[in-house]
């Protein structure tokens, strides 16, 4: 079983709920982007430098 697939299925309801709340309250979208974009940038840096290999 793929860990990536399992985690995607587990977190899927959270992303749907976040989208529903963000449509009703725009500040939720801005806060989530303020948190997610730096984390994504760190993950991209780790991937491109090969830190994900181990």
């Amino acid at each position: 079983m793929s860990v990536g697939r399992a985690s995607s299925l587990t977190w899927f309801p959270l992303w749907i709920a976040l989208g529903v709340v963000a449509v009703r309250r725009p500040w939720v979208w801005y806060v989530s982007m303020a948190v997610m974009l730096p984390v994504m940038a760190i993950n991209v840096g780790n991937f491109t430098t090969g830190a994900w290999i181990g």
Side-chain angles (χ1 to χ4, degrees):
M1 180 174 195
S2 170
V3 174
R5 183 180 64 182
S7 64
S8 296
L9 291 173
T10 303
W11 287 96
F12 185 72
L14 174 67
W15 303 128
I16 296 297
L18 182 64
V20 169
V21 172
V23 166
R24 295 180 187 156
R25 297 178 181 92
W27 64 268
V28 172
W29 187 82
Y30 293 114
V31 170
S32 65
M33 288 299 112
V35 171
M36 288 186 219
L37 289 176
V39 171
M40 184 177 61
I42 291 168
N43 285 334
V44 167
N46 286 337
F47 182 78
T48 56
T49 60
W52 61 277
I53 294 173

